[in-house]
Amino acid sequence: MEYRSVWQRKTKKYPQLKKDADRDIVVVGGGIAGYLTAFRLAEAGQEVTLLEADRLFSGTTGRTTAKTSANQGCVYSELFERYGQRVTELYYRSQTEGIRLFEELVHRYGIECDWAERDGYIFSEDRRYKIEALHRVLRRVGADCEVVESPELFKESCALKMSGQYLFDPLKFLSALPVRFEIFEDTRVVDIDPKKKILRTDGGSIYAKKIIVATHYPMINSHGGYFMKLRQSMSYTIAVSGKGAEDMYLDEREDGLSVRPYAEGTLLGGGDHRTGRIDDKRHFAALESSADKLFGRKNVTHRWCAEDVMTFDGMPMAGKYSKSLEGIYVVTGFNKWGMTNAMVCASVLTDLLLGKENPYAEIFSPQRHIKKSFGDFVSNALTNVGGIFLGYCRITLKTAKDVPAGSGMIVFHHGKKRAVYRDLSGELHVIGNKCPHMHCELKWNGETNTWDCPCHGSRFDIYGNVISEPSTKSCKYRREDPEN
Ligand SMILES: Cc1cc2nc3c(=O)[nH]c(=O)nc-3n(C[C@H](O)[C@H](O)[C@H](O)COP(=O)(O)OP(=O)(O)OC[C@H]3O[C@@H](n4cnc5c(N)ncnc54)[C@H](O)[C@@H]3O)c2cc1C
């Protein structure tokens, strides 16, 4: 079994930034959002530089399931209730436009990326009313879809079926696009001075005329208030080999099952939960048992997990970083629909920078008023404040002796609270108990052997290295002998 996604393979290596520079447009973040935005701007004749902290597509993009679909479950019912017909219709149109733009690029450049048309199903075993409500809304916004009984894989369910949806291999696609812009890898932006537009990295600083923050979770805390408007949600995925699903399926429940075929078998995903809100559920085991039920005993070849940024209304954010900042833009909040949304947001940002109108700029504006979000806002704020409070005030009587081998725990250690992991040989791996981003207390995730932040979703390995933003800093690490 491999502990990586089925897409992750060697990509071309780009240099590291090693000296100070002046540039026109700098995109920070080499996931699908940053890469497509850089691609579109370069296509429009702009000079663009992309800075990536690690390797291109090493973030969530490398761990997606890459359904390129407008059949996105109950988001349409929720949008209709929140904003009414016009916005719901615009969002639906944006997603079909996203699919069209992918198709156009695949054909224009003859990209071999397993691009394939499939039916998409949103299914429910026991909440038929949800499927029927979704159908009513989608019909009102002009979508071609139908309610069907007992779809092939989920015989006990009813489902909303939409034909003409797509699947692909995202890394094959992105790596095959012509690169007409400058790229630096292993170049983490550790700080942005938003007024002077200076980006600092360990290898040098760049002064940019315009900056696009495409770091998945936005990295500037002093403007925009994103840490109050967003949360991160984790999902787990396994790949099983051999003949399995033909089409795409998604349970209408937020933490339900997602299924799609790929070149060598089937991907099953699910177990979604707010990052850092760890329960004792065994998500990978649950996915394996679903695979057994659906396809009989199968060989699990890969397993991985990843998180995505969620907004309160289910639509992404692409536009000015904040009203008061000139020349700084952001793209984030794809709600696990980052293929179509990254494609559309790349056009929204390109048009914005070129001073052109875009039909989706208004609904994706980061400054939009999110209707009926008071409850979400309060619950998010309480989680964030609670996380900081726990970091400073929660008392623990546990010590390093209480940490079982192969597990981690927040304990009282040498006079301070620490996050301690004990490896199988008994050695202790010790880091601070607080996330460097905004000082929330970390939580141990035994499924992934990581320390996760419940407030904003930063994640760290047992050595304290940051593996998921928004933290730009790692935690101080110390290895200790078990006798200590
Ligand atoms: C399990 C899972 C399944 C999904 N399945 C689907 C699906 O089927 N269909 C779909 O449409 N969407 C899906 N999504 C959503 C989609 O994968 C994501 O929305 C999308 O990949 C996010 O892309 P991104 O470019 O915003 O982020 P990322 O891919 O994470 O890219 C951000 C990049 O920024 C870099 N970075 C961060 N901080 C810095 C810094 N300070 N300096 C420089 N670089 C930095 C990171 O290293 C990273 O490479 C799924 C998401 C998950 C978690």
Side-chain angles (χ1 to χ4, degrees):
M1 160 124 64
E2 298 197 47
Y3 294 87
R4 62 166 181 89
S5 90
V6 291
W7 324 119
Q8 284 169 318
R9 57 181 78 86
K10 276 195 180 149
T11 47
K12 185 178 168 195
K13 179 99 185 80
Y14 290 92
Q16 197 176 15
L17 181 73
K18 294 239 168 89
K19 57 178 189 214
D20 294 353
D22 278 10
R23 291 290 185 271
D24 281 355
I25 302 176
V26 173
V27 176
V28 190
I32 190 168
Y35 200 78
L36 287 179
T37 304
F39 170 79
R40 287 294 186 205
L41 284 163
E43 202 181 38
Q46 303 295 303
E47 276 185 25
V48 186
T49 298
L50 185 146
L51 305 180
E52 164 54 42
D54 192 328
R55 302 292 307 275
L56 289 177
F57 323 127
S58 58
T60 300
T61 299
R63 299 178 175 88
T64 182
T65 46
K67 294 173 177 172
T68 307
S69 172
N71 200 5
Q72 301 178 359
C74 294
V75 64
Y76 297 104
S77 310
E78 285 154 24
L79 282 176
F80 197 85
E81 201 188 315
R82 213 182 269 270
Y83 296 118
Q85 171 128 1
R86 187 184 73 87
V87 172
T88 314
E89 195 169 330
L90 267 175
Y91 182 71
Y92 172 70
R93 266 204 257 143
S94 73
Q95 301 310 292
T96 53
E97 173 70 357
I99 297 173
R100 190 192 68 72
L101 291 170
F102 268 108
E103 192 154 47
E104 195 266 318
L105 288 175
V106 167
H107 291 131
R108 192 197 314 167
Y109 295 111
I111 299 176
E112 288 179 11
C113 58
D114 307 326
W115 179 254
E117 187 177 337
R118 291 283 185 278
D119 294 336
Y121 295 90
I122 303 296
F123 69 92
S124 179
E125 268 184 18
D126 54 353
R127 301 206 292 183
R128 185 187 185 87
Y129 66 95
K130 287 263 180 190
I131 301 297
E132 285 174 348
L134 178 61
H135 182 239
R136 278 195 297 278
V137 168
L138 279 167
R139 296 296 297 166
R140 284 184 74 157
V141 301
D144 190 4
C145 59
E146 58 179 321
V147 176
V148 295
E149 304 301 328
S150 309
E152 185 60 33
L153 265 196
F154 297 94
K155 292 287 182 206
E156 306 295 305
S157 309
C158 76
L160 189 286
K161 175 180 172 187
M162 213 184 257
S163 298
Q165 309 306 303
Y166 286 84
L167 296 168
F168 72 141
D169 177 327
L171 266 68
K172 278 188 187 166
F173 170 81
L174 291 166
S175 312
L177 287 175
V179 182
R180 300 191 184 112
F181 50 94
E182 183 182 38
I183 299 175
F184 291 103
E185 287 184 324
D186 294 318
T187 302
R188 180 175 292 279
V189 175
V190 289
D191 180 46
I192 298 177
D193 181 331
K195 295 260 159 65
K196 295 186 182 145
K197 297 205 210 62
I198 296 174
L199 303 107
R200 294 195 185 83
T201 78
D202 288 339
S205 295
I206 295 194
Y207 166 74
K209 293 197 181 98
K210 288 180 179 157
I211 299 173
I212 295 168
V213 179
T215 50
H216 195 226
Y217 196 105
M219 63 172 289
I220 305 171
N221 284 333
S222 55
H223 292 76
Y226 292 95
F227 57 89
M228 298 303 283
K229 299 196 278 205
L230 303 171
R231 67 182 170 90
Q232 298 222 56
S233 168
M234 188 91 156
S235 314
Y236 302 80
T237 309
I238 61 169
V240 293
S241 60
K243 194 165 162 36
E246 291 283 330
D247 291 303
M248 292 182 265
Y249 296 86
L250 180 66
D251 193 323
E252 53 80 22
R253 286 178 199 273
E254 197 185 331
D255 61 351
L257 198 61
S258 161
V259 180
R260 68 154 278 185
Y262 85 106
E264 287 156 42
T266 301
L267 305 183
L268 291 96
D272 300 25
H273 62 81
R274 183 176 178 132
T275 305
R277 190 167 287 170
I278 316 293
D279 45 35
D280 55 6
K281 283 191 195 140
R282 313 302 333 153
H283 299 291
F284 288 121
L287 289 173
E288 285 181 31
S289 105
S290 297
D292 287 351
K293 249 193 253 157
L294 292 172
F295 311 119
R297 248 274 142 234
K298 286 277 177 195
N299 185 22
V300 179
T301 57
H302 299 72
R303 63 148 77 160
W304 70 92
C305 66
E307 56 184 348
D308 206 19
V309 182
M310 316 296 280
T311 58
F312 294 154
D313 63 2
M315 291 193 293
M317 294 182 172
K320 280 188 79 172
Y321 201 98
S322 88
K323 268 189 193 152
S324 61
L325 281 181
E326 277 312 314
I328 305 205
Y329 305 86
V330 67
V331 52
T332 187
F334 293 145
N335 302 286
K336 309 227 169 126
W337 292 104
M339 303 299 108
T340 42
N341 275 311
M343 185 58 92
V344 177
C345 287
S347 299
V348 169
L349 286 173
T350 303
D351 287 346
L352 193 61
L353 265 76
L354 299 181
K356 290 188 189 164
E357 297 271 307
N358 184 291
Y360 310 113
E362 177 210 340
I363 61 167
F364 292 172
S365 165
Q367 285 78 46
R368 67 182 176 265
H369 170 59
I370 298 186
K371 281 193 188 162
K372 299 186 186 169
S373 60
F374 185 69
D376 298 318
F377 185 80
V378 170
S379 127
N380 205 27
L382 286 177
T383 305
N384 295 348
V385 173
I388 298 170
F389 178 81
L390 286 180
Y392 285 99
C393 305
R394 189 170 68 101
I395 295 168
T396 175
L397 299 176
K398 304 269 185 211
T399 69
K401 288 200 176 69
D402 297 308
V403 184
S407 186
M409 211 183 255
I410 301 293
V411 299
F412 205 65
H413 190 59
H414 298 317
K416 285 196 171 144
K417 265 206 290 181
R418 292 280 177 242
V420 174
Y421 169 74
R422 184 188 294 279
D423 68 23
L424 296 177
S425 72
E427 248 180 0
L428 300 179
H429 302 267
V430 183
I431 63 173
N433 67 319
K434 295 195 276 293
C435 173
H437 175 236
M438 291 185 89
H439 308 289
C440 294
E441 185 157 274
L442 297 172
K443 286 217 174 158
W444 175 248
N445 184 345
E447 282 276 61
T448 54
N449 279 4
T450 53
W451 292 102
D452 299 353
C453 171
C455 297
H456 309 106
S458 300
R459 299 175 60 230
F460 305 86
D461 66 16
I462 57 165
Y463 310 109
N465 298 313
V466 57
I467 48 177
S468 286
E469 74 310 317
S471 180
T472 53
K473 292 188 195 131
S474 294
C475 304
K476 261 196 192 156
Y477 165 76
R478 205 171 59 229
R479 167 182 260 149
E480 285 183 15
D481 198 85
E483 300 310 314
N484 263 329

